Coordinates of all heavy atoms in Angstrom, one line a residue:
M7 N -33.6 101.8 249.2 CA -32.9 103.0 249.5 C -32.1 103.5 248.3 O -31.5 102.7 247.6 CB -32.0 102.7 250.7 CG -31.8 104.0 251.6 SD -31.1 103.5 253.2 CE -29.4 104.1 253.0
S8 N -32.0 104.8 248.1 CA -31.3 105.4 247.0 C -29.8 105.4 247.2 O -29.3 105.4 248.4 CB -31.7 106.9 246.8 OG -33.1 106.9 246.5
V9 N -29.0 105.4 246.1 CA -27.6 105.5 246.2 C -27.3 107.0 246.6 O -27.8 107.9 246.0 CB -27.0 105.3 244.8 CG1 -25.5 105.6 244.8 CG2 -27.2 103.8 244.4
V10 N -26.5 107.2 247.7 CA -26.2 108.5 248.2 C -24.6 108.7 248.2 O -23.9 107.8 248.7 CB -26.8 108.8 249.6 CG1 -26.4 110.2 250.1 CG2 -28.3 108.6 249.6
F11 N -24.2 109.8 247.6 CA -22.7 110.1 247.7 C -22.5 111.3 248.5 O -23.4 111.7 249.2 CB -22.2 110.3 246.2 CG -22.2 109.1 245.4 CD1 -23.3 108.8 244.5 CD2 -21.2 108.1 245.5 CE1 -23.3 107.7 243.8 CE2 -21.2 106.9 244.8 CZ -22.3 106.7 243.9
E12 N -21.3 111.9 248.5 CA -21.0 113.1 249.3 C -20.5 114.2 248.4 O -19.8 114.0 247.4 CB -19.9 112.8 250.2 CG -20.3 112.2 251.5 CD -19.2 112.1 252.5 OE1 -18.1 112.6 252.2 OE2 -19.4 111.5 253.6
T13 N -20.9 115.4 248.7 CA -20.3 116.6 248.1 C -18.8 116.7 248.6 O -18.5 116.0 249.6 CB -21.0 117.9 248.4 OG1 -20.9 118.1 249.8 CG2 -22.5 117.8 248.1
F14 N -18.1 117.6 248.1 CA -16.7 117.8 248.5 C -16.7 118.2 250.0 O -15.8 117.8 250.8 CB -16.0 119.0 247.7 CG -14.6 119.2 248.1 CD1 -13.6 118.3 247.7 CD2 -14.2 120.3 248.8 CE1 -12.3 118.5 248.0 CE2 -12.9 120.6 249.1 CZ -11.9 119.6 248.7
G15 N -17.7 118.9 250.4 CA -17.8 119.4 251.8 C -18.4 118.3 252.8 O -18.5 118.6 254.0
G16 N -18.7 117.2 252.2 CA -19.2 116.1 253.1 C -20.7 116.0 253.2 O -21.2 115.2 254.0
S17 N -21.5 116.9 252.5 CA -22.9 116.8 252.6 C -23.4 115.7 251.7 O -22.8 115.4 250.7 CB -23.5 118.1 252.1 OG -23.1 119.2 252.9
P18 N -24.5 115.0 252.1 CA -25.1 113.9 251.3 C -25.6 114.5 249.9 O -26.2 115.5 249.9 CB -26.2 113.4 252.1 CG -26.5 114.4 253.1 CD -25.3 115.3 253.3
W19 N -25.4 113.7 248.9 CA -25.8 114.1 247.6 C -26.3 112.8 246.9 O -25.6 111.8 246.7 CB -24.6 114.7 246.8 CG -25.0 114.9 245.3 CD1 -26.0 115.8 244.9 CD2 -24.5 114.3 244.2 NE1 -26.1 115.8 243.5 CE2 -25.2 114.9 243.1 CE3 -23.5 113.4 243.9 CZ2 -24.9 114.5 241.8 CZ3 -23.2 113.0 242.6 CH2 -23.9 113.6 241.6
T20 N -27.6 112.9 246.4 CA -28.2 111.8 245.7 C -28.2 112.1 244.2 O -28.9 113.0 243.8 CB -29.7 111.6 246.2 OG1 -29.7 111.4 247.6 CG2 -30.3 110.4 245.6
P21 N -27.5 111.3 243.4 CA -27.5 111.6 242.0 C -28.9 111.3 241.4 O -29.5 110.3 241.8 CB -26.5 110.6 241.4 CG -25.8 110.0 242.6 CD -26.6 110.2 243.8
M22 N -29.3 112.1 240.5 CA -30.6 111.9 239.8 C -30.3 111.7 238.4 O -30.0 112.6 237.6 CB -31.5 113.1 240.0 CG -32.0 113.3 241.5 SD -33.0 112.0 242.2 CE -34.5 112.3 241.3
Y23 N -30.4 110.4 238.0 CA -30.0 110.0 236.6 C -31.0 110.3 235.6 O -32.2 110.2 235.9 CB -29.6 108.6 236.6 CG -28.5 108.2 237.6 CD1 -28.8 107.7 238.8 CD2 -27.2 108.4 237.2 CE1 -27.8 107.3 239.7 CE2 -26.2 108.0 238.1 CZ -26.5 107.5 239.4 OH -25.5 107.2 240.3
V24 N -30.6 110.7 234.4 CA -31.6 110.9 233.3 C -32.4 109.7 233.1 O -31.9 108.6 233.0 CB -30.8 111.4 232.0 CG1 -30.1 110.3 231.3 CG2 -31.8 112.1 231.1
D25 N -33.7 109.9 233.0 CA -34.6 108.7 232.9 C -35.4 108.7 231.6 O -35.2 107.8 230.8 CB -35.6 108.8 234.1 CG -36.5 107.5 234.2 OD1 -35.9 106.4 233.9 OD2 -37.6 107.6 234.5
T26 N -36.2 109.8 231.4 CA -36.9 109.8 230.1 C -36.7 111.1 229.4 O -36.3 112.1 230.0 CB -38.5 109.7 230.4 OG1 -38.9 110.8 231.1 CG2 -38.8 108.4 231.1
F27 N -37.0 111.1 228.1 CA -36.8 112.2 227.2 C -38.1 112.4 226.4 O -38.5 111.4 225.8 CB -35.6 112.1 226.3 CG -35.6 113.1 225.2 CD1 -35.3 114.4 225.5 CD2 -35.8 112.7 223.9 CE1 -35.2 115.3 224.4 CE2 -35.7 113.6 222.8 CZ -35.4 114.9 223.1
D28 N -38.7 113.6 226.4 CA -40.0 113.8 225.6 C -39.6 114.4 224.3 O -39.4 115.6 224.2 CB -40.9 114.6 226.4 CG -42.3 114.8 225.8 OD1 -42.4 114.5 224.6 OD2 -43.2 115.2 226.4
K29 N -39.6 113.6 223.2 CA -39.1 114.1 221.9 C -40.2 115.1 221.3 O -39.8 116.0 220.5 CB -38.9 113.0 220.9 CG -40.1 112.1 220.8 CD -40.0 111.2 219.5 CE -38.7 110.4 219.4 NZ -38.7 109.6 218.2
N30 N -41.4 115.1 221.8 CA -42.4 116.0 221.3 C -42.2 117.4 221.8 O -42.7 118.4 221.2 CB -43.8 115.5 221.7 CG -44.1 114.2 221.0 OD1 -43.8 114.0 219.8 ND2 -44.6 113.2 221.8
K31 N -41.5 117.6 222.9 CA -41.3 118.9 223.4 C -39.9 119.5 222.9 O -39.7 120.7 223.0 CB -41.2 118.9 225.0 CG -42.5 118.6 225.7 CD -42.2 118.7 227.2 CE -43.3 118.2 228.0 NZ -42.8 118.1 229.4
C32 N -39.0 118.7 222.4 CA -37.7 119.2 222.1 C -37.7 120.2 220.9 O -38.3 119.9 219.9 CB -36.8 118.0 221.8 SG -35.1 118.4 221.4
L33 N -36.9 121.3 221.1 CA -36.8 122.3 220.1 C -35.5 122.0 219.2 O -35.3 122.7 218.2 CB -36.6 123.7 220.7 CG -37.6 124.2 221.6 CD1 -37.1 125.4 222.4 CD2 -38.8 124.6 220.8
G34 N -34.7 121.1 219.6 CA -33.5 120.8 218.9 C -32.4 121.9 219.0 O -31.6 122.1 218.1
C35 N -32.4 122.6 220.1 CA -31.4 123.7 220.3 C -30.0 123.2 220.6 O -29.0 123.8 220.3 CB -31.8 124.6 221.5 SG -31.8 123.8 223.1
G36 N -29.9 121.9 221.1 CA -28.6 121.3 221.3 C -27.9 121.7 222.5 O -26.8 121.2 222.8
R37 N -28.5 122.5 223.4 CA -27.8 123.0 224.6 C -27.4 121.8 225.5 O -26.4 121.8 226.1 CB -28.6 124.0 225.3 CG -28.7 125.3 224.6 CD -29.5 126.3 225.4 NE -29.5 127.6 224.8 CZ -30.4 128.5 224.9 NH1 -31.5 128.2 225.6 NH2 -30.4 129.6 224.2
C38 N -28.4 120.9 225.7 CA -28.2 119.8 226.6 C -27.1 118.9 226.2 O -26.3 118.4 227.0 CB -29.5 119.0 226.8 SG -30.1 118.4 225.2
I39 N -27.0 118.7 224.9 CA -26.0 117.8 224.3 C -24.6 118.4 224.5 O -23.6 117.7 224.9 CB -26.2 117.6 222.8 CG1 -27.6 117.0 222.5 CG2 -25.1 116.8 222.1 CD1 -28.1 117.1 221.1
K40 N -24.4 119.7 224.3 CA -23.1 120.4 224.5 C -22.7 120.3 226.0 O -21.6 120.3 226.3 CB -23.2 121.8 224.0 CG -23.2 121.9 222.5 CD -23.1 123.4 222.1 CE -23.5 123.5 220.7 NZ -24.2 124.8 220.4
L41 N -23.7 120.5 226.8 CA -23.4 120.6 228.3 C -23.0 119.3 228.9 O -22.3 119.3 229.9 CB -24.7 121.1 228.9 CG -24.6 121.6 230.4 CD1 -23.8 122.9 230.4 CD2 -26.0 121.9 230.9
C42 N -23.5 118.2 228.4 CA -23.3 116.9 229.1 C -21.8 116.4 229.0 O -21.4 116.0 227.9 CB -24.2 115.8 228.6 SG -23.9 114.2 229.4
V43 N -21.1 116.5 230.1 CA -19.7 116.2 230.1 C -19.4 114.7 229.9 O -18.4 114.2 229.5 CB -18.9 116.6 231.4 CG1 -18.9 118.1 231.5 CG2 -19.6 116.0 232.6
Q44 N -20.5 113.9 230.1 CA -20.4 112.4 230.0 C -20.7 111.9 228.6 O -20.7 110.7 228.3 CB -21.3 111.8 231.0 CG -20.8 111.9 232.4 CD -19.5 111.2 232.6 OE1 -18.5 111.9 232.7 NE2 -19.5 109.9 232.7
K45 N -21.1 112.9 227.7 CA -21.5 112.5 226.3 C -22.6 111.4 226.3 O -22.6 110.5 225.5 CB -20.3 112.0 225.5 CG -19.1 112.9 225.6 CD -19.3 114.1 224.7 CE -18.1 115.1 224.7 NZ -18.5 116.5 224.8
V46 N -23.6 111.6 227.2 CA -24.7 110.7 227.2 C -25.7 111.0 226.1 O -26.4 110.1 225.6 CB -25.4 110.8 228.6 CG1 -26.7 110.0 228.7 CG2 -24.4 110.5 229.7
L47 N -25.8 112.3 225.7 CA -26.8 112.7 224.8 C -26.3 112.8 223.4 O -25.2 113.2 223.1 CB -27.4 114.0 225.3 CG -27.8 114.0 226.8 CD1 -28.2 115.4 227.2 CD2 -28.9 113.1 227.0
G48 N -27.2 112.5 222.4 CA -26.8 112.6 221.0 C -27.9 113.3 220.2 O -28.9 113.9 220.8
V49 N -27.8 113.2 218.9 CA -28.7 113.9 218.0 C -29.5 112.9 217.2 O -28.9 111.9 216.7 CB -28.0 114.8 217.0 CG1 -28.9 115.5 216.0 CG2 -27.2 115.9 217.8
E50 N -30.8 113.1 217.1 CA -31.6 112.3 216.2 C -32.1 113.2 215.0 O -32.6 114.3 215.3 CB -32.8 111.7 217.0 CG -33.7 110.8 216.1 CD -34.9 110.2 216.9 OE1 -34.7 110.0 218.1 OE2 -35.9 110.1 216.3
T51 N -31.9 112.7 213.8 CA -32.4 113.5 212.7 C -33.6 112.8 212.1 O -33.7 111.6 212.0 CB -31.2 113.5 211.6 OG1 -30.1 114.0 212.2 CG2 -31.6 114.4 210.4
Y52 N -34.6 113.7 211.7 CA -35.8 113.1 211.1 C -36.3 114.1 210.1 O -35.9 115.3 210.1 CB -36.8 112.8 212.1 CG -37.4 114.0 212.8 CD1 -38.7 114.5 212.4 CD2 -36.8 114.7 213.8 CE1 -39.2 115.7 213.0 CE2 -37.3 115.8 214.4 CZ -38.5 116.3 214.0 OH -39.1 117.4 214.5
E53 N -37.2 113.7 209.2 CA -37.9 114.6 208.3 C -39.3 114.9 208.8 O -40.0 114.0 209.2 CB -38.0 113.9 206.9 CG -37.0 114.3 205.9 CD -37.2 113.8 204.5 OE1 -38.4 113.5 204.2 OE2 -36.2 113.6 203.8
D54 N -39.6 116.2 208.8 CA -41.0 116.6 209.2 C -42.0 116.3 208.1 O -41.6 115.9 207.0 CB -41.0 118.0 209.8 CG -40.8 119.1 208.7 OD1 -40.8 118.7 207.5 OD2 -40.6 120.2 209.1
D55 N -43.2 116.7 208.4 CA -44.3 116.4 207.4 C -44.1 117.1 206.1 O -44.6 116.7 205.0 CB -45.7 116.8 208.0 CG -46.0 116.0 209.2 OD1 -45.4 114.9 209.3 OD2 -46.9 116.5 210.0
E56 N -43.3 118.2 206.1 CA -43.1 119.0 204.9 C -41.8 118.5 204.2 O -41.3 119.2 203.2 CB -43.0 120.5 205.2 CG -44.4 121.0 205.4 CD -44.4 122.2 206.4 OE1 -43.4 122.7 206.6 OE2 -45.5 122.5 206.9
G57 N -41.1 117.5 204.7 CA -39.9 117.0 204.1 C -38.6 117.8 204.5 O -37.6 117.6 203.9
T58 N -38.7 118.6 205.5 CA -37.6 119.4 206.0 C -36.8 118.5 207.0 O -37.5 117.9 207.9 CB -38.0 120.7 206.6 OG1 -38.8 121.4 205.7 CG2 -36.8 121.6 207.0
E59 N -35.5 118.5 206.9 CA -34.7 117.8 207.9 C -34.6 118.5 209.2 O -34.3 119.7 209.3 CB -33.3 117.5 207.4 CG -32.5 116.5 208.1 CD -31.2 116.1 207.5 OE1 -31.2 115.3 206.6 OE2 -30.2 116.7 207.9
R60 N -35.0 117.8 210.3 CA -35.0 118.4 211.7 C -34.1 117.6 212.6 O -33.9 116.4 212.3 CB -36.4 118.4 212.2 CG -37.4 119.1 211.4 CD -37.5 120.5 211.7 NE -38.5 121.2 210.9 CZ -38.6 122.5 210.7 NH1 -37.7 123.3 211.2 NH2 -39.5 123.0 209.9
Q61 N -33.7 118.2 213.6 CA -32.8 117.5 214.6 C -33.4 117.7 216.0 O -33.8 118.8 216.4 CB -31.4 118.0 214.6 CG -30.7 117.6 213.3 CD -29.2 117.9 213.3 OE1 -28.8 118.9 213.9 NE2 -28.4 117.1 212.7
I62 N -33.4 116.6 216.8 CA -33.8 116.7 218.2 C -32.7 115.9 219.0 O -31.9 115.2 218.4 CB -35.2 116.2 218.5 CG1 -35.3 114.7 217.9 CG2 -36.2 117.1 218.0 CD1 -36.6 114.1 218.4
A63 N -32.8 116.1 220.3 CA -31.8 115.4 221.2 C -32.3 114.0 221.4 O -33.5 113.6 221.1 CB -31.7 116.1 222.5
K64 N -31.4 113.1 221.9 CA -31.9 111.8 222.3 C -30.9 111.3 223.4 O -29.7 111.7 223.5 CB -31.9 110.8 221.1 CG -30.6 110.5 220.5 CD -30.7 109.5 219.4 CE -29.3 109.3 218.8 NZ -29.2 108.1 217.9
I65 N -31.4 110.3 224.2 CA -30.5 109.7 225.2 C -29.8 108.6 224.5 O -30.4 107.6 224.0 CB -31.3 109.2 226.4 CG1 -32.1 110.3 227.1 CG2 -30.4 108.5 227.4 CD1 -33.0 109.9 228.1
D66 N -28.5 108.7 224.4 CA -27.7 107.8 223.6 C -27.0 106.7 224.4 O -26.8 105.6 224.1 CB -26.6 108.6 222.9 CG -26.7 108.5 221.4 OD1 -27.6 107.8 220.9 OD2 -25.9 109.2 220.7
N67 N -26.5 107.1 225.6 CA -25.6 106.4 226.3 C -25.9 106.5 227.9 O -25.0 107.0 228.6 CB -24.2 106.9 226.0 CG -23.1 105.9 226.3 OD1 -23.4 104.8 226.6 ND2 -21.9 106.4 226.1
K68 N -27.0 106.0 228.2 CA -27.5 106.2 229.6 C -26.6 105.7 230.7 O -26.5 106.2 231.8 CB -28.9 105.6 229.7 CG -29.7 106.0 230.9 CD -31.1 105.5 230.7 CE -32.0 105.9 231.8 NZ -33.4 105.6 231.5
D69 N -25.9 104.6 230.3 CA -25.0 104.0 231.3 C -23.9 104.9 231.8 O -23.3 104.6 232.8 CB -24.3 102.7 230.7 CG -25.3 101.6 230.6 OD1 -26.5 101.7 231.1 OD2 -25.0 100.5 230.0
H70 N -23.6 106.0 231.0 CA -22.5 106.9 231.4 C -23.0 108.1 232.2 O -22.2 108.9 232.7 CB -21.7 107.4 230.2 CG -20.8 106.3 229.6 ND1 -19.9 106.6 228.6 CD2 -20.7 105.0 229.9 CE1 -19.3 105.5 228.3 NE2 -19.7 104.5 229.1
C71 N -24.3 108.2 232.5 CA -24.9 109.3 233.2 C -24.4 109.3 234.7 O -24.4 108.2 235.3 CB -26.4 109.2 233.1 SG -27.2 110.6 234.0
I72 N -24.0 110.5 235.2 CA -23.5 110.6 236.5 C -24.6 111.2 237.4 O -24.4 111.5 238.6 CB -22.2 111.4 236.7 CG1 -22.3 112.8 236.0 CG2 -21.1 110.6 236.1 CD1 -21.1 113.7 236.2
G73 N -25.7 111.5 236.8 CA -26.9 112.1 237.6 C -26.7 113.5 238.1 O -27.2 113.9 239.1
C74 N -26.1 114.3 237.2 CA -25.9 115.7 237.6 C -27.1 116.6 237.4 O -27.2 117.7 237.9 CB -24.7 116.3 236.9 SG -24.9 116.5 235.1
Q75 N -28.0 116.2 236.5 CA -29.2 116.9 236.1 C -28.9 118.2 235.3 O -29.8 119.1 235.2 CB -30.1 117.2 237.3 CG -30.7 116.0 237.9 CD -31.6 116.4 239.1 OE1 -32.8 116.7 238.8 NE2 -31.1 116.4 240.3
S76 N -27.7 118.4 234.9 CA -27.4 119.7 234.1 C -28.2 119.8 232.9 O -28.7 120.9 232.5 CB -25.9 119.7 233.7 OG -25.1 119.7 234.9
C77 N -28.5 118.7 232.2 CA -29.3 118.7 230.9 C -30.7 119.2 231.2 O -31.2 120.0 230.5 CB -29.3 117.3 230.3 SG -29.8 116.0 231.4
G78 N -31.2 118.8 232.4 CA -32.5 119.3 232.7 C -32.6 120.7 233.1 O -33.6 121.4 232.8
S79 N -31.5 121.2 233.7 CA -31.4 122.6 234.1 C -31.4 123.6 233.0 O -32.0 124.6 233.0 CB -30.2 122.9 235.0 OG -30.3 122.1 236.2
I80 N -30.7 123.2 231.9 CA -30.5 124.1 230.8 C -31.7 124.0 229.8 O -31.9 124.9 229.0 CB -29.2 123.8 230.0 CG1 -28.8 124.9 229.1 CG2 -29.3 122.5 229.1 CD1 -27.6 125.6 229.5
C81 N -32.5 122.9 229.9 CA -33.6 122.7 228.9 C -34.8 123.6 229.3 O -35.5 123.3 230.3 CB -34.0 121.3 228.8 SG -35.3 121.0 227.6
V82 N -35.1 124.5 228.4 CA -36.3 125.4 228.7 C -37.6 124.7 228.5 O -38.7 125.1 229.0 CB -36.3 126.7 227.8 CG1 -35.1 127.6 228.1 CG2 -36.2 126.3 226.3
R83 N -37.6 123.6 227.8 CA -38.8 122.8 227.5 C -39.1 121.7 228.5 O -40.1 121.0 228.4 CB -38.8 122.2 226.1 CG -38.7 123.3 225.0 CD -39.8 124.3 225.0 NE -41.1 123.7 224.8 CZ -41.7 123.6 223.6 NH1 -41.0 124.0 222.5 NH2 -42.9 123.1 223.5
R84 N -38.2 121.5 229.5 CA -38.3 120.5 230.5 C -38.6 119.1 229.8 O -39.5 118.4 230.1 CB -39.5 120.8 231.4 CG -39.4 122.1 232.1 CD -38.7 121.9 233.5 NE -38.5 123.1 234.2 CZ -37.3 123.7 234.4 NH1 -36.2 123.1 233.9 NH2 -37.2 124.8 235.1
C85 N -37.7 118.7 228.9 CA -37.8 117.5 228.1 C -37.4 116.3 228.9 O -37.8 115.1 228.6 CB -37.0 117.6 226.9 SG -37.6 118.8 225.7
Y86 N -36.6 116.4 229.9 CA -36.1 115.3 230.7 C -36.7 115.1 232.0 O -37.1 116.0 232.7 CB -34.5 115.5 230.9 CG -33.7 115.5 229.6 CD1 -33.3 116.7 229.2 CD2 -33.4 114.4 228.9 CE1 -32.5 116.8 228.0 CE2 -32.7 114.4 227.8 CZ -32.2 115.6 227.3 OH -31.5 115.7 226.1
T87 N -36.8 113.8 232.4 CA -37.1 113.5 233.8 C -35.9 112.7 234.4 O -35.1 112.1 233.6 CB -38.4 112.6 233.9 OG1 -38.2 111.3 233.3 CG2 -39.6 113.3 233.3
F88 N -35.9 112.6 235.7 CA -34.7 112.0 236.4 C -35.2 111.1 237.4 O -36.3 111.2 238.0 CB -33.9 113.2 237.0 CG -33.3 114.1 235.9 CD1 -34.1 115.2 235.5 CD2 -32.1 113.9 235.3 CE1 -33.6 116.1 234.5 CE2 -31.7 114.7 234.3 CZ -32.4 115.8 233.9
K89 N -34.3 110.2 237.8 CA -34.6 109.2 238.8 C -33.4 108.8 239.6 O -32.3 108.7 239.0 CB -35.2 107.9 238.1 CG -36.2 107.2 238.8 CD -37.0 106.4 237.8 CE -36.9 104.9 238.0 NZ -37.7 104.1 237.1
S90 N -33.5 108.6 240.8 CA -32.4 108.1 241.6 C -32.2 106.6 241.4 O -33.1 106.0 240.9 CB -32.6 108.4 243.1 OG -33.7 107.8 243.6
K91 N -31.1 106.1 241.9 CA -30.9 104.6 241.7 C -30.9 104.0 243.0 O -30.2 104.5 244.0 CB -29.5 104.5 241.0 CG -29.2 103.1 240.4 CD -27.9 103.2 239.6 CE -27.6 101.8 239.1 NZ -26.3 101.9 238.4
S92 N -31.6 102.8 243.1 CA -31.6 102.2 244.4 C -30.6 101.0 244.5 O -30.1 100.6 243.4 CB -33.0 101.7 244.7 OG -33.5 101.0 243.6
Ligands
SF4_16 S1 -32.0 121.6 225.7 FE1 -34.1 120.7 225.6 S2 -35.0 121.7 223.8 FE2 -32.8 121.9 223.6 S3 -32.1 120.1 222.5 FE3 -32.0 119.6 224.7 S4 -33.9 118.6 225.1 FE4 -34.2 119.7 223.2
SF4_17 S1 -27.8 114.1 234.2 FE1 -25.7 115.0 233.7 S2 -24.5 113.2 233.0 FE2 -26.7 112.6 232.9 S3 -27.3 113.0 230.8 FE3 -27.8 114.9 232.0 S4 -26.0 116.2 231.8 FE4 -25.4 114.1 231.2

């Protein structure tokens, strides 16, 4: 059974924690990183085939995720998947 909390109004709320990140889809816009109040997400820097430095997001600190799914909502590329906790 999943972990279920309550909204302020007393309705059941199941947190959906960040699970996977697809680096091949990421544009490196950084929106998800800025949005995460828990500072779960960070930046990965790499060099592309032409030697240009690029940045993409990464899951840095999964243990601090509160399961709000805000990162997934802002991401136009749908890079993240989420999972409840049992
Ligand atoms: S919002 Fe999506 S595309 Fe933008 S950095 Fe985050 S994961 Fe990458
Ligand atoms: S689900 Fe919420 S807390 Fe977890 S990484 Fe995304 S924005 Fe941060």
